[in-house]
């Protein structure tokens, strides 16, 4: 069953702790993206990667980190430096840049 | 800076009425432009893209380079069109989204 999978669906963490969100795709896509979705602000780009072992900062990268060691995986770490981490996080992939993006179901992170 | 603007947060229409969801972009060069839709409890998915110039579920969108717009239109709204709609633009490896417009079609 092909697609893009995010896990977990819900995540709770204490303030000050780092947390890693998983994103896996078996679509053989080169490009992968992380977005943050907040009410009234749409989707804001955190990080993106066009190829293995390479990634670039998006518009709101501060307090986040990523890795792209494998083509199918693009995990996002929300660090304690992120001032307002509670949000809905969406991962997406596309065959290459500027083509149709396929989205995961999202992870809702709540920091208490 | 690359930017996609959707000026309306909410658009409410009656069933059978025409719909126009506005999108303006600010890009250098020739961006790829898309409309994505998110129905309740479903994943965000592609609705249409400007290069294909197709009609999906009765929706069309024309790229107007002079006005830097890519408005989404449908002549007769249906209740099942109620969803969140996002305009997006791709250039220089980044895919940027607008803030979205919630379309509510009343019976």
């Amino acid at each position: 069953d092909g697609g893009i999978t995010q896990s977990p669906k819900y995540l709770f963490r204490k303030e000050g702790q780092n947390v890693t969100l998983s994103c896996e795709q078996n679509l053989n896509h080169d490009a992968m993206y992380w977005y943050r979705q907040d009410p009234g602000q749409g989707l804001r780009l955190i990080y993106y990667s066009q190829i293995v072992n390479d990634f670039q900062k998006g518009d709101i990268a501060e307090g986040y980190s990523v890795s792209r060691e494998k083509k199918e995986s693009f995990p996002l770490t929300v660090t304690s430096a992120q001032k307002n981490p509670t949000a809905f996080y969406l991962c997406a992939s596309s065959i290459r840049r500027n083509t149709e993006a396929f989205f995961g179901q999202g992870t809702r992170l709540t920091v208490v | 800076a690359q930017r996609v603007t959707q000026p309306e947060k909410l658009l409410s229409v009656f069933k059978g009425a025409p719909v126009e969801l506005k999108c303006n972009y600010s890009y250098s060069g020739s961006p790829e432009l898309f409309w994505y839709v998110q129905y309740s409890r479903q994943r965000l998915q592609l609705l249409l893209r400007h290069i294909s110039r197709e009609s999906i579920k009765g929706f069309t969108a024309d790229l107007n380079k002079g006005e830097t717009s890519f408005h989404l239109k449908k002549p007769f709204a249906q209740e099942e069109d109620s969803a969140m709609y996002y305009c997006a633009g791709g250039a220089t490896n980044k895919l940027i989204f607008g803030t979205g417009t919630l379309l509510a079609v009343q019976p």
Side-chain angles (χ1 to χ4, degrees):
Chain A
D1 186 23
I4 180 165
T5 304
Q6 290 184 243
S7 61
K9 191 172 181 181
Y10 300 97
L11 191 55
F12 295 86
R13 278 295 181 268
K14 290 185 178 180
E15 194 172 335
Q17 289 181 336
N18 292 355
V19 60
T20 297
L21 282 59
S22 170
C23 179
E24 303 278 333
Q25 53 98 359
N26 59 6
L27 301 167
N28 200 31
H29 286 174
D30 285 322
M32 296 188 76
Y33 309 84
W34 272 107
Y35 293 90
R36 172 178 169 142
Q37 189 177 29
D38 296 286
Q41 298 198 56
L43 276 71
R44 292 183 290 167
L45 183 63
I46 304 173
Y47 267 98
Y48 60 103
S49 168
Q50 297 297 326
I51 196 169
V52 174
N53 292 324
D54 186 52
F55 48 83
Q56 280 81 43
K57 292 182 179 180
D59 298 322
I60 55 164
E62 186 175 349
Y64 299 98
S65 66
V66 293
S67 63
R68 187 85 188 275
E69 296 176 1
K70 298 186 295 182
K71 188 175 186 178
E72 58 269 24
S73 178
F74 191 41
L76 174 74
T77 297
V78 184
T79 75
S80 56
Q82 168 50 232
K83 298 190 187 316
N84 187 20
T86 294
F88 189 62
Y89 291 88
L90 281 170
C91 181
S93 70
S94 62
I95 292 175
R96 57 186 180 279
R97 70 184 182 96
N98 302 338
T99 59
E100 177 182 359
F102 292 81
F103 282 83
Q105 288 277 35
T107 293
R108 186 166 297 282
L109 172 65
T110 302
V111 176
V112 296
Chain B
Q2 300 169 3
R3 185 173 296 174
V4 174
T5 304
Q6 294 180 253
E8 303 147 326
K9 288 189 176 181
L10 171 66
L11 182 63
S12 182
V13 301
F14 286 103
K15 178 181 173 181
V19 170
E20 182 178 65
L21 300 171
K22 291 183 169 51
C23 173
N24 289 89
Y25 65 91
S26 171
Y27 275 84
S28 57
S30 298
E32 300 281 345
L33 289 163
F34 309 86
W35 276 99
Y36 283 81
V37 61
Q38 191 170 29
Y39 300 104
S40 179
R41 297 195 184 92
Q42 292 187 28
R43 300 185 186 211
L44 194 62
Q45 58 187 287
L46 179 70
L47 180 61
L48 52 79
R49 70 195 84 183
H50 91 272
I51 57 171
S52 59
R53 302 180 66 82
E54 57 193 343
S55 174
I56 303 293
K57 299 184 179 183
F59 284 98
T60 58
D62 291 320
L63 178 62
N64 185 323
K65 292 186 177 181
E67 296 182 357
T68 61
S69 69
F70 187 56
H71 303 329
L72 183 68
K73 300 178 183 180
K74 185 170 183 178
F76 308 103
Q78 303 299 316
E79 289 181 66
E80 56 265 30
D81 295 329
S82 295
M84 194 74 177
Y85 291 82
Y86 291 95
C87 183
T92 64
N93 299 332
K94 294 168 66 173
L95 184 60
I96 303 295
F97 284 77
T99 51
T101 298
L102 179 63
L103 174 64
V105 181
Q106 311 295 334

Coordinates of all heavy atoms in Angstrom, one line a residue, chain A residues 36-44 84 86-88 108, chain B residues 9 84 86 98-100:
Chain A
R36 N 4.0 23.3 9.0 CA 3.3 23.5 10.2 C 2.0 24.2 9.9 O 2.0 25.2 9.1 CB 4.1 24.4 11.2 CG 3.4 24.8 12.4 CD 4.3 25.7 13.3 NE 3.5 26.3 14.3 CZ 4.0 26.4 15.6 NH1 5.2 26.1 15.9 NH2 3.2 27.0 16.5
Q37 N 0.9 23.7 10.4 CA -0.4 24.2 10.1 C -1.1 24.8 11.4 O -1.3 24.1 12.3 CB -1.3 23.1 9.5 CG -2.6 23.7 8.9 CD -3.5 22.5 8.3 OE1 -3.4 21.4 8.6 NE2 -4.3 22.9 7.3
D38 N -1.3 26.1 11.4 CA -1.9 26.8 12.5 C -3.2 27.5 12.0 O -3.2 27.9 10.9 CB -1.0 27.8 13.1 CG 0.3 27.2 13.7 OD1 0.1 26.6 14.8 OD2 1.3 27.3 13.1
P39 N -4.2 27.5 12.8 CA -5.5 28.2 12.4 C -5.2 29.6 11.9 O -4.5 30.4 12.6 CB -6.3 28.2 13.7 CG -5.8 27.1 14.5 CD -4.3 27.0 14.2
G40 N -5.7 29.9 10.7 CA -5.6 31.3 10.2 C -4.3 31.6 9.6 O -4.1 32.7 9.0
Q41 N -3.3 30.7 9.6 CA -2.0 30.9 9.1 C -1.6 30.0 7.9 O -0.5 30.1 7.4 CB -0.9 30.8 10.1 CG -1.1 31.9 11.3 CD 0.1 32.1 12.1 OE1 1.2 32.4 11.6 NE2 0.0 31.9 13.4
G42 N -2.5 29.1 7.6 CA -2.2 28.2 6.5 C -1.1 27.2 6.8 O -0.9 26.9 8.0
L43 N -0.4 26.8 5.8 CA 0.7 25.9 5.9 C 2.0 26.7 5.8 O 2.2 27.4 4.8 CB 0.7 24.8 4.8 CG -0.2 23.6 5.1 CD1 -1.6 24.0 5.0 CD2 0.2 22.5 4.0
R44 N 2.9 26.6 6.7 CA 4.1 27.3 6.7 C 5.3 26.3 6.6 O 5.3 25.4 7.3 CB 4.3 28.2 7.9 CG 3.3 29.4 7.9 CD 3.6 30.3 9.1 NE 3.2 29.7 10.3 CZ 3.5 30.1 11.5 NH1 4.2 31.2 11.7 NH2 3.1 29.5 12.6
N84 N 7.0 28.1 20.4 CA 5.6 27.8 20.4 C 5.4 26.5 19.6 O 4.9 26.5 18.5 CB 4.8 28.9 19.8 CG 3.3 28.7 19.9 OD1 2.9 28.0 20.7 ND2 2.6 29.4 19.0
T86 N 3.5 23.8 20.0 CA 2.2 23.1 19.9 C 1.5 23.5 18.6 O 1.2 24.7 18.3 CB 1.3 23.6 21.1 OG1 1.8 23.0 22.3 CG2 -0.2 23.0 20.9
A87 N 1.3 22.5 17.8 CA 0.7 22.7 16.4 C 0.4 21.4 15.7 O 0.7 20.3 16.3 CB 1.8 23.5 15.6
F88 N -0.1 21.5 14.5 CA -0.4 20.4 13.7 C 0.7 20.4 12.6 O 0.9 21.4 11.9 CB -1.8 20.5 13.0 CG -2.2 19.3 12.3 CD1 -2.4 18.1 13.0 CD2 -2.5 19.3 11.0 CE1 -2.8 16.9 12.3 CE2 -2.9 18.2 10.3 CZ -3.1 17.0 10.9
R108 N -0.4 15.8 15.5 CA -0.7 16.9 16.4 C 0.1 16.9 17.6 O 0.0 15.9 18.4 CB -2.2 16.9 16.7 CG -2.6 18.1 17.5 CD -4.1 18.3 17.6 NE -4.7 18.5 16.3 CZ -4.8 19.6 15.7 NH1 -4.2 20.7 16.2 NH2 -5.4 19.7 14.5
Chain B
K9 N -10.7 34.5 4.3 CA -10.6 33.4 5.2 C -11.8 32.5 5.0 O -11.7 31.3 5.2 CB -10.5 33.8 6.6 CG -9.1 34.5 7.0 CD -9.0 34.7 8.5 CE -7.6 35.3 8.8 NZ -7.5 35.5 10.2
M84 N -11.7 23.2 2.9 CA -10.6 24.2 3.0 C -9.8 24.2 1.7 O -9.4 23.1 1.3 CB -9.7 23.9 4.2 CG -8.8 25.1 4.6 SD -9.8 26.4 5.4 CE -8.4 27.5 5.8
Y86 N -6.5 25.6 -0.5 CA -5.2 26.3 -0.4 C -4.7 26.5 -1.8 O -4.6 25.5 -2.6 CB -4.2 25.4 0.4 CG -4.5 25.3 1.9 CD1 -5.2 24.2 2.4 CD2 -4.1 26.3 2.8 CE1 -5.5 24.1 3.7 CE2 -4.4 26.2 4.1 CZ -5.0 25.1 4.6 OH -5.3 25.0 5.9
G98 N -0.7 29.4 0.5 CA -1.4 30.5 1.1 C -2.0 30.2 2.4 O -1.9 29.0 2.9
T99 N -2.8 31.1 3.0 CA -3.4 30.9 4.3 C -4.7 30.1 4.3 O -5.2 29.7 5.3 CB -3.6 32.2 5.0 OG1 -4.3 33.1 4.2 CG2 -2.3 32.9 5.4
G100 N -5.2 29.9 3.1 CA -6.4 29.0 2.9 C -7.7 29.8 3.0 O -7.8 30.9 3.6

